[in-house]
Every structure is written in structure tokens, then in C-alpha cells.
Amino acid sequence: MRIKELVIEITRKCNAACPHCMRGPAQTRHMAFNTITTMLNGITRIDMVTFTGGEPSLAVDRIRYFHDQIRARNIKLGGFYVITNGSYASIGLITALDDLHADTTDGNSVLIVSKDQYHKDKNPRTESLYSTYSFYRPEGFTYEIPVKEGRSQEGREAFLNPILVTDGYIESTVYVNALGDVITSCEMSYDTQKINTIGNVNKEPLYDIITHYLERT
């Protein structure tokens, strides 16, 4: 099974409380190692993996474990996408991503430090550390319309994305949260995710979850 984009909610921990956050209040939970293991069952290639949260820099051991697992299973990875709030310069995060980048096949890995109107205060060491890596992408001050979920009291409504599967290739974004729940959208609060989950990778293989969901819809 090949996946176009796998979005992994690697943690629900966060060291910020941004007013636009679609997730809601942070939780003291990382994705379990066993959830990462079972999530990868049956996967042969991931075109792009996105590590989200929460704040990804607080779950470096999970990112490294994901890397160990795809190497052990010979799962091909095209690249990764990570956005961090940049509140501190995480040597652990940047070295974990550098190691992962070395095993990607497409050279399109991206690390971004948020610099929008909600993330103005940065540790000055963050950019100086991260900018030495080829996959770091500096971003300017940009405004993004928030999703009206979680802490955000204004913005557009969240929506479910369609799932497309062709000959074992999942051509859509698949979101797996820290609990192992599979959702067809990345833009939901923790509370809304509970309502819209289509299965759990701790109970059923990911491809079977997708297949059964398509049979029901």
C-alpha cells in the first residue's frame, strides 16, 4: 500500500496557547510507540509524511521511532513536512529530521518555523540553528484564515476530505491522531475528531479502515 500524504499527530503536548489553535487545550499525551508500529503495517511507500501536534519538537523520540520503523520495514519515504512554533532551538528535532531526510527519496523535505501574527516571539537561536540545514524553509509574516475549531472563535468551517484509492494507492491525505484514530481531515479540534473518526489503527489495519469506509459511503 502506498499513501500520498500521511499526517501523524505525533503529540498533543504543546508549550504555547495560541488563540487561533484549532486543536483546543493541549493534552499530556504523545502517540504511543505501538500505535506507530501498527499504523505502518502494510505500507510500502509514503510520498509525504507530516508530523503535527501539538508541538512536534516535544516528541523527538517518536519521530526517531517512526524513522527506525520505516527503515526496518524498508518503507520508502519521499519527504517530510514539519511546522514548529520555534519557541526554543531544538537540537534533538533538527538532528532527528536531518537523519530522516538522509533516507528520503524525493528531496522535498520541509521544516518551517511559524512566523505569522500568532507566533511573533521567537528564540533568536532557533533560526540560526535550523537555517544551516537544506530542508529549512524561511517563511515571512503571513496571515492564514483560521479554522473555527478548538480555541479559535472565528474563521472558516472545517470540512471532511474525500478519499481516493486506485490500485492500492491512497491518493488522499490520511490523518492519524495521537490516539490512533483515522480522520479524513486535518482541520479539526480534539473534540471534533472523536465524532469524525472512521477507525483506529490499534484495532484494524489502516488499509482495511480506508476500504471499509469507502464501502459505507
Side-chain angles (χ1 to χ4, degrees):
M1 174 178 63
R2 176 181 171 187
I3 300 179
K4 181 178 182 179
E5 182 180 16
L6 179 62
V7 181
I8 303 174
E9 186 186 271
I10 203 74
T11 183
R12 290 188 167 183
K13 293 185 177 183
C14 190
N15 51 7
C18 302
H20 75 304
C21 180
M22 72 180 79
R23 302 295 180 221
Q27 300 177 11
T28 57
R29 181 164 195 152
H30 289 322
M31 177 176 278
F33 292 115
N34 185 61
T35 299
I36 297 173
T37 301
T38 57
M39 174 180 60
L40 294 174
N41 287 339
I43 295 177
T44 56
R45 176 179 169 86
I46 303 167
D47 292 350
M48 176 68 71
V49 64
T50 296
F51 296 110
T52 186
E55 167 52 39
S57 66
L58 302 179
V60 171
D61 57 342
R62 267 58 179 180
I63 294 173
R64 286 201 174 277
Y65 186 78
F66 170 87
H67 186 192
D68 291 342
Q69 287 296 304
I70 65 170
R71 291 185 75 178
R73 298 160 185 251
N74 197 30
I75 298 172
K76 304 303 181 184
L77 177 65
F80 61 76
Y81 185 84
V82 179
I83 297 180
T84 174
N85 62 31
S87 57
Y88 72 101
S90 173
I91 295 175
L93 175 66
I94 197 66
T95 55
L97 293 180
D98 191 38
D99 291 343
L100 183 60
H101 180 63
D103 282 343
T104 60
T105 62
D106 297 351
N108 58 352
S109 301
V110 174
L111 170 66
I112 294 174
V113 176
S114 295
K115 293 183 182 179
D116 56 30
Q117 66 273 32
Y118 303 107
H119 303 93
K120 296 179 180 179
D121 298 326
K122 292 289 171 296
N123 184 324
R125 291 189 61 248
T126 300
E127 190 160 13
S128 63
L129 173 63
Y130 294 173
S131 62
T132 61
Y133 293 83
S134 62
F135 50 83
Y136 174 72
R137 299 290 182 271
E139 294 291 318
F141 182 92
T142 58
Y143 177 81
E144 295 183 4
I145 299 174
V147 178
K148 193 176 181 181
E149 287 277 316
R151 286 197 188 94
S152 179
Q153 299 301 308
E154 60 180 7
R156 58 184 174 81
E157 299 296 325
F159 59 88
L160 295 173
N161 298 313
I163 292 183
L164 302 175
V165 180
T166 304
D167 297 328
Y169 177 38
I170 301 176
E171 303 177 64
S172 315
T173 297
V174 177
Y175 186 96
V176 182
N177 72 15
L179 310 178
D181 293 329
V182 181
I183 303 111
T184 66
S185 172
C186 306
E187 299 182 334
M188 292 183 178
S189 66
Y190 297 138
D191 288 338
T192 306
Q193 287 178 15
K194 297 175 186 176
I195 302 169
N196 291 284
T197 180
I198 64 172
N200 188 287
V201 296
N202 295 309
K203 301 176 181 178
E204 189 178 18
L206 181 57
Y207 190 75
D208 289 351
I209 292 172
I210 300 298
T211 301
H212 295 159
Y213 171 73
L214 291 175
E215 291 172 349
R216 297 192 303 269
T217 57

PDB file of all heavy atoms in Angstrom, residues 121-154:
ATOM      1  N   ASP A 121       7.011  35.942  18.807  1.00  0.00           N
ATOM      2  CA  ASP A 121       8.149  35.856  19.712  1.00  0.00           C
ATOM      3  C   ASP A 121       8.926  34.576  19.448  1.00  0.00           C
ATOM      4  O   ASP A 121       8.426  33.472  19.635  1.00  0.00           O
ATOM      5  CB  ASP A 121       7.683  35.888  21.172  1.00  0.00           C
ATOM      6  CG  ASP A 121       6.977  37.188  21.513  1.00  0.00           C
ATOM      7  OD1 ASP A 121       7.392  38.222  20.951  1.00  0.00           O
ATOM      8  OD2 ASP A 121       6.028  37.151  22.310  1.00  0.00           O
ATOM      9  N   LYS A 122      10.159  34.740  19.001  1.00  0.00           N
ATOM     10  CA  LYS A 122      10.990  33.594  18.644  1.00  0.00           C
ATOM     11  C   LYS A 122      12.277  33.597  19.441  1.00  0.00           C
ATOM     12  O   LYS A 122      12.826  34.641  19.771  1.00  0.00           O
ATOM     13  CB  LYS A 122      11.333  33.621  17.154  1.00  0.00           C
ATOM     14  CG  LYS A 122      10.149  33.376  16.253  1.00  0.00           C
ATOM     15  CD  LYS A 122       9.701  31.931  16.335  1.00  0.00           C
ATOM     16  CE  LYS A 122       8.398  31.726  15.610  1.00  0.00           C
ATOM     17  NZ  LYS A 122       7.279  32.443  16.184  1.00  0.00           N
ATOM     18  N   ASN A 123      12.764  32.425  19.733  1.00  0.00           N
ATOM     19  CA  ASN A 123      14.094  32.292  20.287  1.00  0.00           C
ATOM     20  C   ASN A 123      15.076  32.624  19.162  1.00  0.00           C
ATOM     21  O   ASN A 123      15.043  31.984  18.109  1.00  0.00           O
ATOM     22  CB  ASN A 123      14.290  30.849  20.779  1.00  0.00           C
ATOM     23  CG  ASN A 123      15.621  30.645  21.467  1.00  0.00           C
ATOM     24  OD1 ASN A 123      16.624  31.229  21.083  1.00  0.00           O
ATOM     25  ND2 ASN A 123      15.627  29.804  22.476  1.00  0.00           N
ATOM     26  N   PRO A 124      15.937  33.611  19.342  1.00  0.00           N
ATOM     27  CA  PRO A 124      16.841  34.006  18.253  1.00  0.00           C
ATOM     28  C   PRO A 124      17.784  32.889  17.812  1.00  0.00           C
ATOM     29  O   PRO A 124      18.293  32.909  16.691  1.00  0.00           O
ATOM     30  CB  PRO A 124      17.615  35.193  18.852  1.00  0.00           C
ATOM     31  CG  PRO A 124      17.461  35.053  20.332  1.00  0.00           C
ATOM     32  CD  PRO A 124      16.124  34.439  20.549  1.00  0.00           C
ATOM     33  N   ARG A 125      17.996  31.905  18.676  1.00  0.00           N
ATOM     34  CA  ARG A 125      18.890  30.802  18.313  1.00  0.00           C
ATOM     35  C   ARG A 125      18.226  29.820  17.348  1.00  0.00           C
ATOM     36  O   ARG A 125      18.903  29.061  16.653  1.00  0.00           O
ATOM     37  CB  ARG A 125      19.350  30.042  19.563  1.00  0.00           C
ATOM     38  CG  ARG A 125      20.288  30.830  20.475  1.00  0.00           C
ATOM     39  CD  ARG A 125      20.869  29.945  21.569  1.00  0.00           C
ATOM     40  NE  ARG A 125      21.648  28.849  21.042  1.00  0.00           N
ATOM     41  CZ  ARG A 125      21.286  27.561  21.125  1.00  0.00           C
ATOM     42  NH1 ARG A 125      20.150  27.224  21.691  1.00  0.00           N
ATOM     43  NH2 ARG A 125      22.061  26.622  20.633  1.00  0.00           N
ATOM     44  N   THR A 126      16.889  29.825  17.305  1.00  0.00           N
ATOM     45  CA  THR A 126      16.181  28.830  16.508  1.00  0.00           C
ATOM     46  C   THR A 126      16.540  28.918  15.035  1.00  0.00           C
ATOM     47  O   THR A 126      16.969  27.942  14.421  1.00  0.00           O
ATOM     48  CB  THR A 126      14.657  28.977  16.689  1.00  0.00           C
ATOM     49  OG1 THR A 126      14.331  28.788  18.063  1.00  0.00           O
ATOM     50  CG2 THR A 126      13.925  27.945  15.853  1.00  0.00           C
ATOM     51  N   GLU A 127      16.355  30.087  14.457  1.00  0.00           N
ATOM     52  CA  GLU A 127      16.611  30.236  13.032  1.00  0.00           C
ATOM     53  C   GLU A 127      18.086  30.065  12.697  1.00  0.00           C
ATOM     54  O   GLU A 127      18.435  29.479  11.664  1.00  0.00           O
ATOM     55  CB  GLU A 127      16.107  31.583  12.523  1.00  0.00           C
ATOM     56  CG  GLU A 127      16.127  31.680  11.011  1.00  0.00           C
ATOM     57  CD  GLU A 127      15.223  32.767  10.485  1.00  0.00           C
ATOM     58  OE1 GLU A 127      14.756  33.607  11.275  1.00  0.00           O
ATOM     59  OE2 GLU A 127      14.984  32.770   9.273  1.00  0.00           O
ATOM     60  N   SER A 128      18.970  30.547  13.558  1.00  0.00           N
ATOM     61  CA  SER A 128      20.403  30.400  13.286  1.00  0.00           C
ATOM     62  C   SER A 128      20.809  28.934  13.282  1.00  0.00           C
ATOM     63  O   SER A 128      21.695  28.524  12.519  1.00  0.00           O
ATOM     64  CB  SER A 128      21.229  31.184  14.311  1.00  0.00           C
ATOM     65  OG  SER A 128      21.037  30.673  15.620  1.00  0.00           O
ATOM     66  N   LEU A 129      20.149  28.122  14.111  1.00  0.00           N
ATOM     67  CA  LEU A 129      20.444  26.682  14.136  1.00  0.00           C
ATOM     68  C   LEU A 129      19.827  25.982  12.935  1.00  0.00           C
ATOM     69  O   LEU A 129      20.498  25.248  12.209  1.00  0.00           O
ATOM     70  CB  LEU A 129      19.926  26.059  15.429  1.00  0.00           C
ATOM     71  CG  LEU A 129      20.006  24.526  15.538  1.00  0.00           C
ATOM     72  CD1 LEU A 129      21.451  24.046  15.496  1.00  0.00           C
ATOM     73  CD2 LEU A 129      19.307  24.041  16.797  1.00  0.00           C
ATOM     74  N   TYR A 130      18.543  26.212  12.697  1.00  0.00           N
ATOM     75  CA  TYR A 130      17.825  25.470  11.661  1.00  0.00           C
ATOM     76  C   TYR A 130      18.250  25.863  10.248  1.00  0.00           C
ATOM     77  O   TYR A 130      18.178  25.054   9.326  1.00  0.00           O
ATOM     78  CB  TYR A 130      16.319  25.678  11.813  1.00  0.00           C
ATOM     79  CG  TYR A 130      15.722  25.106  13.083  1.00  0.00           C
ATOM     80  CD1 TYR A 130      14.391  25.354  13.407  1.00  0.00           C
ATOM     81  CD2 TYR A 130      16.460  24.325  13.966  1.00  0.00           C
ATOM     82  CE1 TYR A 130      13.822  24.842  14.564  1.00  0.00           C
ATOM     83  CE2 TYR A 130      15.910  23.812  15.123  1.00  0.00           C
ATOM     84  CZ  TYR A 130      14.586  24.073  15.421  1.00  0.00           C
ATOM     85  OH  TYR A 130      14.029  23.564  16.568  1.00  0.00           O
ATOM     86  N   SER A 131      18.656  27.118  10.063  1.00  0.00           N
ATOM     87  CA  SER A 131      18.943  27.621   8.715  1.00  0.00           C
ATOM     88  C   SER A 131      20.160  26.971   8.075  1.00  0.00           C
ATOM     89  O   SER A 131      20.382  27.121   6.867  1.00  0.00           O
ATOM     90  CB  SER A 131      19.129  29.137   8.741  1.00  0.00           C
ATOM     91  OG  SER A 131      20.236  29.488   9.550  1.00  0.00           O
ATOM     92  N   THR A 132      20.925  26.230   8.834  1.00  0.00           N
ATOM     93  CA  THR A 132      22.099  25.560   8.266  1.00  0.00           C
ATOM     94  C   THR A 132      21.729  24.249   7.567  1.00  0.00           C
ATOM     95  O   THR A 132      22.596  23.622   6.951  1.00  0.00           O
ATOM     96  CB  THR A 132      23.141  25.267   9.362  1.00  0.00           C
ATOM     97  OG1 THR A 132      22.562  24.407  10.350  1.00  0.00           O
ATOM     98  CG2 THR A 132      23.613  26.557  10.024  1.00  0.00           C
ATOM     99  N   TYR A 133      20.465  23.861   7.634  1.00  0.00           N
ATOM    100  CA  TYR A 133      20.023  22.601   7.040  1.00  0.00           C
ATOM    101  C   TYR A 133      19.265  22.856   5.743  1.00  0.00           C
ATOM    102  O   TYR A 133      18.467  23.794   5.648  1.00  0.00           O
ATOM    103  CB  TYR A 133      19.149  21.817   8.028  1.00  0.00           C
ATOM    104  CG  TYR A 133      19.941  21.343   9.227  1.00  0.00           C
ATOM    105  CD1 TYR A 133      20.178  22.184  10.303  1.00  0.00           C
ATOM    106  CD2 TYR A 133      20.477  20.058   9.254  1.00  0.00           C
ATOM    107  CE1 TYR A 133      20.924  21.759  11.393  1.00  0.00           C
ATOM    108  CE2 TYR A 133      21.223  19.617  10.347  1.00  0.00           C
ATOM    109  CZ  TYR A 133      21.441  20.477  11.404  1.00  0.00           C
ATOM    110  OH  TYR A 133      22.186  20.054  12.477  1.00  0.00           O
ATOM    111  N   SER A 134      19.504  22.018   4.748  1.00  0.00           N
ATOM    112  CA  SER A 134      18.969  22.254   3.402  1.00  0.00           C
ATOM    113  C   SER A 134      17.443  22.223   3.348  1.00  0.00           C
ATOM    114  O   SER A 134      16.839  22.843   2.481  1.00  0.00           O
ATOM    115  CB  SER A 134      19.525  21.201   2.433  1.00  0.00           C
ATOM    116  OG  SER A 134      19.111  19.896   2.816  1.00  0.00           O
ATOM    117  N   PHE A 135      16.804  21.503   4.274  1.00  0.00           N
ATOM    118  CA  PHE A 135      15.343  21.369   4.222  1.00  0.00           C
ATOM    119  C   PHE A 135      14.621  22.482   4.989  1.00  0.00           C
ATOM    120  O   PHE A 135      13.400  22.513   5.012  1.00  0.00           O
ATOM    121  CB  PHE A 135      14.902  19.995   4.744  1.00  0.00           C
ATOM    122  CG  PHE A 135      15.500  19.616   6.068  1.00  0.00           C
ATOM    123  CD1 PHE A 135      14.953  20.051   7.264  1.00  0.00           C
ATOM    124  CD2 PHE A 135      16.638  18.818   6.112  1.00  0.00           C
ATOM    125  CE1 PHE A 135      15.513  19.710   8.477  1.00  0.00           C
ATOM    126  CE2 PHE A 135      17.205  18.463   7.330  1.00  0.00           C
ATOM    127  CZ  PHE A 135      16.640  18.907   8.516  1.00  0.00           C
ATOM    128  N   TYR A 136      15.377  23.386   5.608  1.00  0.00           N
ATOM    129  CA  TYR A 136      14.751  24.506   6.308  1.00  0.00           C
ATOM    130  C   TYR A 136      14.261  25.528   5.297  1.00  0.00           C
ATOM    131  O   TYR A 136      14.981  25.910   4.375  1.00  0.00           O
ATOM    132  CB  TYR A 136      15.730  25.163   7.270  1.00  0.00           C
ATOM    133  CG  TYR A 136      15.178  26.418   7.926  1.00  0.00           C
ATOM    134  CD1 TYR A 136      14.190  26.330   8.897  1.00  0.00           C
ATOM    135  CD2 TYR A 136      15.625  27.682   7.548  1.00  0.00           C
ATOM    136  CE1 TYR A 136      13.662  27.473   9.490  1.00  0.00           C
ATOM    137  CE2 TYR A 136      15.114  28.818   8.135  1.00  0.00           C
ATOM    138  CZ  TYR A 136      14.133  28.715   9.099  1.00  0.00           C
ATOM    139  OH  TYR A 136      13.611  29.841   9.667  1.00  0.00           O
ATOM    140  N   ARG A 137      13.013  25.997   5.483  1.00  0.00           N
ATOM    141  CA  ARG A 137      12.442  27.000   4.590  1.00  0.00           C
ATOM    142  C   ARG A 137      12.015  28.222   5.400  1.00  0.00           C
ATOM    143  O   ARG A 137      11.060  28.158   6.169  1.00  0.00           O
ATOM    144  CB  ARG A 137      11.213  26.442   3.860  1.00  0.00           C
ATOM    145  CG  ARG A 137      11.520  25.239   2.981  1.00  0.00           C
ATOM    146  CD  ARG A 137      12.336  25.626   1.750  1.00  0.00           C
ATOM    147  NE  ARG A 137      12.576  24.470   0.915  1.00  0.00           N
ATOM    148  CZ  ARG A 137      13.608  23.646   1.031  1.00  0.00           C
ATOM    149  NH1 ARG A 137      14.513  23.873   1.986  1.00  0.00           N
ATOM    150  NH2 ARG A 137      13.766  22.635   0.227  1.00  0.00           N
ATOM    151  N   PRO A 138      12.719  29.342   5.253  1.00  0.00           N
ATOM    152  CA  PRO A 138      12.311  30.558   5.972  1.00  0.00           C
ATOM    153  C   PRO A 138      10.991  31.071   5.436  1.00  0.00           C
ATOM    154  O   PRO A 138      10.771  31.111   4.231  1.00  0.00           O
ATOM    155  CB  PRO A 138      13.459  31.533   5.678  1.00  0.00           C
ATOM    156  CG  PRO A 138      14.053  31.042   4.404  1.00  0.00           C
ATOM    157  CD  PRO A 138      13.905  29.554   4.410  1.00  0.00           C
ATOM    158  N   GLU A 139      10.109  31.446   6.332  1.00  0.00           N
ATOM    159  CA  GLU A 139       8.799  31.962   5.946  1.00  0.00           C
ATOM    160  C   GLU A 139       8.623  33.363   6.528  1.00  0.00           C
ATOM    161  O   GLU A 139       9.029  33.633   7.650  1.00  0.00           O
ATOM    162  CB  GLU A 139       7.680  31.055   6.470  1.00  0.00           C
ATOM    163  CG  GLU A 139       7.672  29.666   5.830  1.00  0.00           C
ATOM    164  CD  GLU A 139       7.262  29.711   4.367  1.00  0.00           C
ATOM    165  OE1 GLU A 139       6.322  30.454   4.044  1.00  0.00           O
ATOM    166  OE2 GLU A 139       7.891  28.999   3.567  1.00  0.00           O
ATOM    167  N   GLY A 140       7.975  34.237   5.772  1.00  0.00           N
ATOM    168  CA  GLY A 140       7.738  35.586   6.246  1.00  0.00           C
ATOM    169  C   GLY A 140       6.459  35.680   7.054  1.00  0.00           C
ATOM    170  O   GLY A 140       5.804  34.689   7.362  1.00  0.00           O
ATOM    171  N   PHE A 141       6.093  36.890   7.401  1.00  0.00           N
ATOM    172  CA  PHE A 141       4.880  37.156   8.161  1.00  0.00           C
ATOM    173  C   PHE A 141       3.676  37.009   7.225  1.00  0.00           C
ATOM    174  O   PHE A 141       3.504  37.766   6.282  1.00  0.00           O
ATOM    175  CB  PHE A 141       4.928  38.580   8.733  1.00  0.00           C
ATOM    176  CG  PHE A 141       3.740  38.941   9.571  1.00  0.00           C
ATOM    177  CD1 PHE A 141       3.755  38.732  10.944  1.00  0.00           C
ATOM    178  CD2 PHE A 141       2.610  39.479   8.997  1.00  0.00           C
ATOM    179  CE1 PHE A 141       2.666  39.075  11.721  1.00  0.00           C
ATOM    180  CE2 PHE A 141       1.516  39.829   9.769  1.00  0.00           C
ATOM    181  CZ  PHE A 141       1.539  39.622  11.131  1.00  0.00           C
ATOM    182  N   THR A 142       2.883  35.995   7.439  1.00  0.00           N
ATOM    183  CA  THR A 142       1.729  35.761   6.576  1.00  0.00           C
ATOM    184  C   THR A 142       0.479  35.556   7.420  1.00  0.00           C
ATOM    185  O   THR A 142       0.548  35.076   8.549  1.00  0.00           O
ATOM    186  CB  THR A 142       1.927  34.522   5.689  1.00  0.00           C
ATOM    187  OG1 THR A 142       2.164  33.378   6.522  1.00  0.00           O
ATOM    188  CG2 THR A 142       3.093  34.706   4.747  1.00  0.00           C
ATOM    189  N   TYR A 143      -0.655  35.926   6.860  1.00  0.00           N
ATOM    190  CA  TYR A 143      -1.923  35.726   7.546  1.00  0.00           C
ATOM    191  C   TYR A 143      -2.647  34.552   6.920  1.00  0.00           C
ATOM    192  O   TYR A 143      -2.838  34.493   5.706  1.00  0.00           O
ATOM    193  CB  TYR A 143      -2.802  36.970   7.434  1.00  0.00           C
ATOM    194  CG  TYR A 143      -4.161  36.783   8.063  1.00  0.00           C
ATOM    195  CD1 TYR A 143      -4.323  36.905   9.434  1.00  0.00           C
ATOM    196  CD2 TYR A 143      -5.265  36.452   7.290  1.00  0.00           C
ATOM    197  CE1 TYR A 143      -5.566  36.714  10.018  1.00  0.00           C
ATOM    198  CE2 TYR A 143      -6.516  36.257   7.868  1.00  0.00           C
ATOM    199  CZ  TYR A 143      -6.660  36.393   9.225  1.00  0.00           C
ATOM    200  OH  TYR A 143      -7.880  36.194   9.811  1.00  0.00           O
ATOM    201  N   GLU A 144      -3.012  33.605   7.732  1.00  0.00           N
ATOM    202  CA  GLU A 144      -3.792  32.477   7.258  1.00  0.00           C
ATOM    203  C   GLU A 144      -5.136  32.482   7.980  1.00  0.00           C
ATOM    204  O   GLU A 144      -5.188  32.625   9.202  1.00  0.00           O
ATOM    205  CB  GLU A 144      -3.056  31.164   7.522  1.00  0.00           C
ATOM    206  CG  GLU A 144      -1.747  31.040   6.741  1.00  0.00           C
ATOM    207  CD  GLU A 144      -1.088  29.696   6.961  1.00  0.00           C
ATOM    208  OE1 GLU A 144      -1.701  28.859   7.655  1.00  0.00           O
ATOM    209  OE2 GLU A 144       0.007  29.496   6.439  1.00  0.00           O
ATOM    210  N   ILE A 145      -6.211  32.328   7.222  1.00  0.00           N
ATOM    211  CA  ILE A 145      -7.542  32.314   7.825  1.00  0.00           C
ATOM    212  C   ILE A 145      -7.667  31.080   8.720  1.00  0.00           C
ATOM    213  O   ILE A 145      -7.476  29.959   8.255  1.00  0.00           O
ATOM    214  CB  ILE A 145      -8.628  32.283   6.747  1.00  0.00           C
ATOM    215  CG1 ILE A 145      -8.530  33.528   5.856  1.00  0.00           C
ATOM    216  CG2 ILE A 145     -10.017  32.195   7.382  1.00  0.00           C
ATOM    217  CD1 ILE A 145      -9.464  33.511   4.682  1.00  0.00           C
ATOM    218  N   PRO A 146      -7.943  31.264   9.993  1.00  0.00           N
ATOM    219  CA  PRO A 146      -8.013  30.115  10.890  1.00  0.00           C
ATOM    220  C   PRO A 146      -9.278  29.291  10.660  1.00  0.00           C
ATOM    221  O   PRO A 146     -10.207  29.720   9.974  1.00  0.00           O
ATOM    222  CB  PRO A 146      -8.032  30.758  12.278  1.00  0.00           C
ATOM    223  CG  PRO A 146      -8.653  32.107  12.045  1.00  0.00           C
ATOM    224  CD  PRO A 146      -8.193  32.536  10.684  1.00  0.00           C
ATOM    225  N   VAL A 147      -9.268  28.093  11.209  1.00  0.00           N
ATOM    226  CA  VAL A 147     -10.433  27.221  11.180  1.00  0.00           C
ATOM    227  C   VAL A 147     -11.186  27.405  12.495  1.00  0.00           C
ATOM    228  O   VAL A 147     -10.574  27.472  13.567  1.00  0.00           O
ATOM    229  CB  VAL A 147     -10.016  25.748  11.007  1.00  0.00           C
ATOM    230  CG1 VAL A 147     -11.232  24.832  11.035  1.00  0.00           C
ATOM    231  CG2 VAL A 147      -9.237  25.567   9.711  1.00  0.00           C
ATOM    232  N   LYS A 148     -12.484  27.506  12.423  1.00  0.00           N
ATOM    233  CA  LYS A 148     -13.290  27.750  13.615  1.00  0.00           C
ATOM    234  C   LYS A 148     -13.458  26.448  14.396  1.00  0.00           C
ATOM    235  O   LYS A 148     -14.507  25.811  14.386  1.00  0.00           O
ATOM    236  CB  LYS A 148     -14.648  28.322  13.223  1.00  0.00           C
ATOM    237  CG  LYS A 148     -15.440  28.894  14.397  1.00  0.00           C
ATOM    238  CD  LYS A 148     -16.727  29.530  13.935  1.00  0.00           C
ATOM    239  CE  LYS A 148     -17.500  30.110  15.117  1.00  0.00           C
ATOM    240  NZ  LYS A 148     -18.776  30.728  14.678  1.00  0.00           N
ATOM    241  N   GLU A 149     -12.386  26.079  15.060  1.00  0.00           N
ATOM    242  CA  GLU A 149     -12.348  24.859  15.863  1.00  0.00           C
ATOM    243  C   GLU A 149     -11.454  25.127  17.065  1.00  0.00           C
ATOM    244  O   GLU A 149     -10.611  26.019  17.052  1.00  0.00           O
ATOM    245  CB  GLU A 149     -11.774  23.695  15.050  1.00  0.00           C
ATOM    246  CG  GLU A 149     -12.694  23.134  13.989  1.00  0.00           C
ATOM    247  CD  GLU A 149     -13.677  22.131  14.557  1.00  0.00           C
ATOM    248  OE1 GLU A 149     -13.290  21.269  15.367  1.00  0.00           O
ATOM    249  OE2 GLU A 149     -14.860  22.206  14.191  1.00  0.00           O
ATOM    250  N   GLY A 150     -11.611  24.335  18.124  1.00  0.00           N
ATOM    251  CA  GLY A 150     -10.731  24.459  19.276  1.00  0.00           C
ATOM    252  C   GLY A 150     -10.804  25.819  19.931  1.00  0.00           C
ATOM    253  O   GLY A 150     -11.876  26.302  20.279  1.00  0.00           O
ATOM    254  N   ARG A 151      -9.636  26.483  20.075  1.00  0.00           N
ATOM    255  CA  ARG A 151      -9.599  27.811  20.690  1.00  0.00           C
ATOM    256  C   ARG A 151     -10.108  28.908  19.765  1.00  0.00           C
ATOM    257  O   ARG A 151     -10.510  29.967  20.216  1.00  0.00           O
ATOM    258  CB  ARG A 151      -8.165  28.162  21.102  1.00  0.00           C
ATOM    259  CG  ARG A 151      -7.645  27.449  22.320  1.00  0.00           C
ATOM    260  CD  ARG A 151      -6.408  28.178  22.842  1.00  0.00           C
ATOM    261  NE  ARG A 151      -5.769  27.428  23.908  1.00  0.00           N
ATOM    262  CZ  ARG A 151      -4.774  26.576  23.711  1.00  0.00           C
ATOM    263  NH1 ARG A 151      -4.318  26.359  22.497  1.00  0.00           N
ATOM    264  NH2 ARG A 151      -4.238  25.927  24.730  1.00  0.00           N
ATOM    265  N   SER A 152     -10.051  28.673  18.471  1.00  0.00           N
ATOM    266  CA  SER A 152     -10.391  29.717  17.512  1.00  0.00           C
ATOM    267  C   SER A 152     -11.883  30.009  17.535  1.00  0.00           C
ATOM    268  O   SER A 152     -12.710  29.110  17.374  1.00  0.00           O
ATOM    269  CB  SER A 152      -9.979  29.294  16.099  1.00  0.00           C
ATOM    270  OG  SER A 152     -10.323  30.283  15.172  1.00  0.00           O
ATOM    271  N   GLN A 153     -12.226  31.257  17.714  1.00  0.00           N
ATOM    272  CA  GLN A 153     -13.625  31.684  17.769  1.00  0.00           C
ATOM    273  C   GLN A 153     -14.105  32.281  16.449  1.00  0.00           C
ATOM    274  O   GLN A 153     -15.245  32.692  16.327  1.00  0.00           O
ATOM    275  CB  GLN A 153     -13.811  32.709  18.895  1.00  0.00           C
ATOM    276  CG  GLN A 153     -13.467  32.165  20.268  1.00  0.00           C
ATOM    277  CD  GLN A 153     -14.308  30.948  20.635  1.00  0.00           C
ATOM    278  OE1 GLN A 153     -15.539  30.986  20.560  1.00  0.00           O
ATOM    279  NE2 GLN A 153     -13.652  29.860  21.020  1.00  0.00           N
ATOM    280  N   GLU A 154     -13.219  32.314  15.471  1.00  0.00           N
ATOM    281  CA  GLU A 154     -13.597  32.833  14.169  1.00  0.00           C
ATOM    282  C   GLU A 154     -12.830  32.078  13.094  1.00  0.00           C
ATOM    283  O   GLU A 154     -11.861  31.384  13.372  1.00  0.00           O
ATOM    284  CB  GLU A 154     -13.281  34.329  14.058  1.00  0.00           C
ATOM    285  CG  GLU A 154     -11.804  34.653  14.235  1.00  0.00           C
ATOM    286  CD  GLU A 154     -11.514  36.133  14.133  1.00  0.00           C
ATOM    287  OE1 GLU A 154     -12.480  36.916  14.059  1.00  0.00           O
ATOM    288  OE2 GLU A 154     -10.340  36.504  14.104  1.00  0.00           O
TER     289      GLU A 154
END
